Amino acid sequence: MSSLAARSALVSVCLLVGLLGLWEALNQPPTASEALTEFEILMGGVDQEARVPPPSQVMSHAWHELSNPFYDAGPNDKGIGIQLAYSLFRVLTGYVSAALVAIPLGFIIGMSPLMHRALNPFIQVLRPISPLAWMPLALFIIKDSEQSAIFVIFICSIWPMLINTAFGVANVRSDWISVAQTHELSQLKTAFLVILPAAAPTILTGMRISIGIAWLVIVAAEMLVGGTGIGYYVWNEWNNLDLNSVIFSILMIGVVGMALDFALGRVEKLVQYKE
Amino acid sequence: MSNKSLGNPFDAESSLAHTASCVCAVCKSELQSGEGLSDRDRQILMERQISDQESVRHTSSSAATETFGSSEDMMDRVVENAIVRGVFGHNDASRRNFIRLVGGGTLAAALGTMIPMDKVKAAVKDAIGPLEKTKLKVGFVPITCATPIIMAQPMGFYAKYGLDVDVIKTAGWAVARDKSLNGEYDASHMLTPMPLAMSMGAGSTATPYIMPAVENINGQAIVLHNKHKDKRNPKDWKGFKFGVPFDYSMHNFLLRYYVAEHGIDPDKDIQIRVVPPPEMVANLRAGNLDGYLSPDPFNQRAVFEKIGFLHVLTKDIWEGHPCCAFACSEKFSTEMPNTYAALFKAIVDATHYSHKAENRAEIAKAISPKNYLNQPEVVVKQVLTGRYVDGIENKVQDVPDRIDFDPFPWHSMAVWILTQMKRWGYVEGDIDYKGIAERVYVAAETGQVMRNLGYTPPESTYKNYTIMGKEFDYNKPEEYINSFAIKRV
């Protein structure tokens, strides 16, 4: 079936080239025929309306940024590589601490119907709260914008992992647990040797959803508190109405998000099993 | 031998020499050991005496036994002394003869024309006291109002006073306030009403804040979307949505004042939204706002992007109104007095530098890059030099004082701001107008710093204003509030 793969790839490329070509053609800035007068310079040129930059401009800008991704020209001007590293650090810190809380708690909820009923109301109330709504409170209580941002990531990535873990644990086939019991395995051993492998694919699905949400939220959180990170980068370029950089950073956010999802997808495959 | 007495150098009767009967620590020490001290030891003893504020007495002359009111006064004397001694080649007899001949006043005046005494004194005092902390973080919102705070970094004003300051860009004033309250910033660019509100606990927890310096006066504008070019009369603005940068801002109070004077109720006839300055232009373009009263460069940027026009400059609403400020917590100023003093001086110095029209183009170039304002230089330059296009007329305008920089925090400005906060219901009940004004706006300190840097502060800290033809008397704030037809009290 290699011909199908080749043909689909060809269609993808044609679509991309066609769309970019259209975008490029529709957004050509008019060329000024003569030198600008002082008035025209102060007015921002002869161009009547601001337009979306054509892809050729975006690509040359992207090349420029990517050729020097780690420059550091002061606290408010750092390269795209440094900004992405800041964001990734925040996301991973918040995400890992969320996993450390959510997975054990999910086990307890999943294994004990009593805890499930007791904790369910809290989860249902807290889960739908937009993570950014926590920001003012977090800033006030934690008194540190860096940790507040990490807390926001923590709070947004905890729910999918918690709920999926609890669901996965609760739905392990009862005859497997019965087998464990007939072998007189302790509670702890049952949890680690039977339930964990059995629930692993569901847990991983939760983790994959969480990392996606965390990456979505970090951009918004950094736009709010500023300083460093890819969200701050977008905000800073938005200030300057520099759409070149905004489009470029959108692409970068997409690429990194895809990489994160891909990584967890691979881990998910490792724990899959067939019954 | 040594001539280091602190006698009055302009008095022929006082000796500047240490005589055998002198009891100052240096002489005593030399007497005890029976030999001269090394220069280093002598220096240490002298400094200790000065820092202990113990007046150094030399008993050779009655005139020299005066005590000094403060260590500052003593330092002044030390400087005068050193200069006069230097002029007479450290020969005390010739100094005294000369003063007998022409008089001490003549000598002082003659020296004053040649040597800037005040500046030398200030320079020496600068060197006093180690900085508790040299690495500081100062927050700013990327607007031209913050020019002195920002440009002090690339143009070396912080470094001049021994500070290594990172100026950190902040998304808006709510975040600037929270980061200041939680101590991430040592000091911050704020709006002149913010320290008042924060000290009173309006809109945040009450934390004592002080405002050592105003940054800019004038420099804002009301911008309208291009589709409203035919609606230049505020009476036609019913139903408009306006953006202001913050509740506790001069922008909010000026916009409210302006429309209310035209008979429009700012709470009922129009909608006023808080929008961080950097997001103003994008919102105007998207049609979320019909206009805004915002800091520059976002007014000029709207013209540059051909989205809006400058309806009126705020200098035409209230000529010389304050806008942004440099503020820090009272705690910072008391816990790190030397650092605070150095930072304060750097800011006042930078503000005066920004005041000079000939420096503006150079400043525009320094603060436009990505690390600071992140704006096209041509936009920033139009704001700072006052040679700009307004988006209405087909010509270049020239208003050199479109924005100006003046650090002096008038107490009467604080009183006016408090009247507006009460007028629009941001604070309730009785207000101790002058008490709060004088606690938060530390005008006396600002005056002192200005004097040290060789500038002349105003004589008084209060004055009356005329805003859109209406008198404001700082002695009658309550009557002023009651005189408005549109108000929330």
Side-chain angles (χ1 to χ4, degrees):
Chain A
M1 294 304 277
S2 68
S3 68
L4 178 64
R7 274 183 294 155
S8 67
L10 190 70
V11 173
S12 292
V13 169
C14 285
L15 272 175
L16 184 70
V17 170
L19 284 174
L20 288 183
L22 198 66
W23 177 6
E24 177 86 38
L26 286 179
N27 288 290
Q28 279 305 316
T31 43
S33 48
E34 316 158 29
L36 298 177
T37 64
E38 183 192 9
F39 178 79
E40 283 168 342
I41 292 170
L42 298 185
M43 279 302 285
V46 284
D47 195 356
Q48 260 317 301
E49 266 177 56
R51 43 190 87 230
V52 180
S56 55
Q57 263 184 36
V58 175
M59 276 188 261
S60 79
H61 179 75
W63 176 251
H64 176 75
E65 287 278 334
L66 287 173
S67 56
N68 187 9
F70 297 109
Y71 75 89
D72 186 352
N76 308 309
D77 184 12
K78 297 180 199 297
I80 186 82
I82 297 185
Q83 306 287 21
L84 283 171
Y86 270 110
S87 298
L88 275 174
F89 166 75
R90 288 186 187 127
V91 163
L92 293 180
T93 315
Y95 177 78
V96 168
S97 39
L100 291 178
V101 174
I103 294 171
L105 199 62
F107 259 81
I108 295 171
I109 294 171
M111 288 168 76
S112 146
L114 170 83
M115 291 309 282
H116 181 233
R117 281 173 177 254
L119 289 176
N120 200 34
F122 295 103
I123 297 173
Q124 295 311 328
V125 169
L126 290 175
R127 192 172 58 103
I129 297 172
S130 159
L132 288 180
W134 291 100
M135 191 55 106
L137 192 65
L139 271 175
F140 183 80
I141 294 173
I142 303 176
K143 294 197 185 305
D144 183 286
S145 57
E146 176 78 26
Q147 285 168 27
S148 301
I150 293 174
F151 169 76
V152 167
I153 296 302
F154 170 83
I155 204 81
C156 78
S157 48
I158 198 166
W159 308 116
M161 286 196 267
L162 183 65
I163 291 166
N164 269 50
T165 308
F167 177 80
V169 170
N171 289 289
V172 173
R173 275 171 57 180
S174 53
D175 34 345
W176 294 356
I177 296 176
S178 306
V179 171
Q181 275 166 354
T182 50
H183 282 82
E184 293 188 351
L185 284 183
S186 68
Q187 281 275 2
L188 211 60
K189 272 195 168 173
T190 318
F192 276 101
L193 295 179
V194 180
I195 299 177
L196 184 62
T202 333
I203 296 174
L204 254 296
T205 308
M207 292 178 78
R208 199 170 160 186
I209 297 171
S210 279
I211 196 85
I213 293 177
W215 188 245
L216 291 183
V217 168
I218 193 67
V219 176
E222 285 170 346
M223 284 177 92
L224 207 57
V225 293
T228 46
I230 188 71
Y232 165 77
Y233 182 93
V234 175
W235 176 84
N236 195 21
E237 297 305 342
W238 182 29
N239 273 350
N240 191 16
L241 303 171
D242 180 357
L243 289 180
N244 265 329
S245 302
V246 171
I247 296 171
F248 166 64
S249 44
I250 289 174
L251 289 174
M252 292 309 292
I253 293 169
V255 168
V256 173
M258 197 174 73
L260 287 174
D261 188 64
F262 180 75
L264 275 162
R266 291 304 287 265
V267 179
E268 206 179 351
K269 280 223 176 77
L270 290 180
V271 297
Q272 291 290 12
Y273 58 87
K274 276 210 177 107
E275 285 183 31
Chain B
M1 39 164 260
S2 56
N3 289 9
K4 289 195 186 64
S5 152
L6 286 186
N8 182 351
F10 300 117
D11 182 353
E13 297 308 314
S14 77
S15 165
L16 301 187
H18 295 243
T19 57
S21 56
C22 181
V23 295
C24 79
V26 177
C27 294
K28 266 200 292 189
S29 177
E30 286 188 348
L31 206 65
Q32 278 164 10
S33 63
E35 56 187 57
L37 292 169
S38 72
D39 283 345
R40 195 170 158 272
D41 292 343
R42 193 196 306 274
Q43 183 69 29
I44 292 170
L45 279 171
M46 294 278 299
E47 280 175 1
R48 189 172 307 149
Q49 286 183 36
I50 290 164
S51 66
D52 289 349
Q53 285 211 25
E54 178 195 311
S55 61
V56 186
R57 288 160 215 258
H58 302 272
T59 52
S60 59
S61 145
S62 61
T65 58
E66 61 188 299
T67 53
F68 297 99
S70 71
S71 61
E72 293 239 322
D73 292 350
M74 186 189 288
M75 271 325 282
D76 286 352
R77 176 60 62 79
V78 170
V79 171
E80 286 171 358
N81 230 308
I83 291 175
V84 174
R85 273 189 278 112
V87 167
F88 290 95
H90 295 275
N91 184 333
D92 208 38
S94 87
R95 177 189 63 88
R96 292 165 78 168
N97 281 333
F98 184 80
I99 293 174
R100 277 196 202 99
L101 208 64
V102 302
T106 317
L107 173 61
L111 275 180
T113 59
M114 290 184 285
I115 301 164
M117 274 294 188
D118 287 340
K119 283 201 177 150
V120 175
K121 284 176 192 168
V124 169
K125 277 182 222 157
D126 280 344
I128 292 177
L131 298 174
E132 295 87 353
K133 184 176 171 189
T134 53
K135 189 113 182 89
L136 299 180
K137 277 190 178 169
V138 175
F140 74 94
V141 176
I143 55 177
T144 42
C145 303
T147 296
I149 292 176
I150 304 169
M151 72 75 151
Q153 215 266 335
M155 299 181 78
F157 283 85
Y158 294 126
K160 185 173 160 189
Y161 295 91
L163 298 168
D164 178 11
V165 174
D166 271 348
V167 286
I168 309 288
K169 202 184 290 193
T170 313
W173 273 291
V175 181
R177 178 196 60 202
D178 289 354
K179 282 189 168 184
S180 300
L181 287 174
N182 69 27
E184 276 181 64
Y185 294 157
D186 296 291
S188 180
H189 162 211
M190 284 190 186
L191 296 153
T192 43
M194 282 171 66
L196 295 169
M198 286 159 77
S199 296
M200 291 163 79
S204 68
T205 45
T207 310
Y209 253 69
I210 54 170
M211 197 188 94
V214 169
E215 289 301 311
N216 67 309
I217 54 175
N218 300 336
Q220 324 301 309
I222 296 181
V223 167
L224 293 179
H225 194 283
N226 273 340
K227 69 185 175 200
H228 298 309
K229 270 196 175 156
D230 55 335
K231 294 186 185 147
R232 297 298 302 279
N233 187 342
K235 290 190 171 60
D236 300 335
W237 292 357
K238 285 198 175 166
F240 273 29
K241 283 172 285 193
F242 279 97
V244 295
F246 199 59
D247 276 340
Y248 302 98
S249 68
M250 283 303 291
H251 310 85
N252 187 17
F253 299 146
L254 284 174
L255 179 64
R256 284 168 173 271
Y257 189 102
Y258 179 79
V259 296
E261 287 299 292
H262 285 95
I264 296 278
D265 188 318
D267 288 316
K268 293 174 187 151
D269 298 331
I270 59 172
Q271 194 188 5
I272 297 182
R273 294 179 181 172
V274 171
V275 179
E279 293 159 29
M280 293 273 187
V281 182
N283 275 299
L284 189 71
R285 186 187 332 245
N288 282 342
L289 296 174
D290 293 290
Y292 51 73
L293 200 162
S294 142
D296 265 310
F298 299 101
N299 304 316
Q300 197 60 49
R301 191 69 200 260
V303 176
F304 190 75
E305 298 292 327
K306 300 177 188 67
I307 302 165
F309 63 94
L310 306 181
H311 168 70
V312 63
L313 297 179
T314 50
K315 79 179 273 288
D316 297 329
I317 299 176
W318 172 5
E319 172 70 50
H321 72 80
C323 172
C324 286
F326 168 75
C328 66
S329 67
E330 204 173 81
K331 195 166 147 240
F332 175 68
S333 75
T334 50
E335 282 181 1
M336 302 189 186
N338 296 339
T339 309
Y340 164 70
L343 187 60
F344 192 175
K345 264 183 211 151
I347 293 287
V348 172
D349 202 358
T351 308
H352 276 290
Y353 188 85
S354 310
H355 164 69
K356 298 202 179 80
E358 66 268 26
N359 298 332
R360 297 279 180 83
E362 173 198 11
I363 294 172
K365 193 172 164 57
I367 65 174
S368 295
K370 214 171 176 180
N371 197 26
Y372 306 105
L373 293 186
N374 195 20
Q375 291 287 332
E377 189 189 328
V378 56
V379 171
V380 179
K381 200 169 150 190
Q382 289 185 68
V383 174
L384 289 182
T385 60
R387 191 167 166 73
Y388 67 96
V389 287
D390 60 8
I392 310 165
E393 289 182 79
N394 226 348
K395 67 181 179 84
V396 181
Q397 313 280 328
D398 243 323
V399 184
D401 58 348
R402 172 177 175 177
I403 187 168
D404 205 347
F405 300 92
D406 181 356
F408 195 72
W410 291 89
H411 289 143
S412 43
M413 286 174 172
V415 173
W416 186 86
I417 291 167
L418 290 169
T419 63
Q420 299 303 304
M421 281 166 69
K422 182 155 180 190
R423 176 185 178 187
W424 300 116
Y426 290 99
V427 287
E428 282 168 1
D430 289 330
I431 299 175
D432 174 12
Y433 292 94
K434 289 189 175 179
I436 296 169
E438 286 165 22
R439 204 177 72 221
V440 179
Y441 286 26
V442 290
E445 284 183 39
T446 318
Q448 184 60 43
V449 171
M450 285 169 76
R451 256 190 298 276
N452 281 347
L453 291 168
Y455 302 104
T456 323
E459 294 286 322
S460 117
T461 62
Y462 287 97
K463 62 178 172 184
N464 289 336
Y465 305 110
T466 305
I467 304 163
M468 292 177 80
K470 192 170 160 59
E471 286 287 333
F472 164 66
D473 181 348
Y474 63 84
N475 280 315
K476 297 174 185 153
E478 288 294 334
E479 285 93 325
Y480 183 65
I481 296 172
N482 289 329
S483 72
F484 290 109
I486 302 177
K487 55 180 179 284
R488 296 283 96 81
V489 282

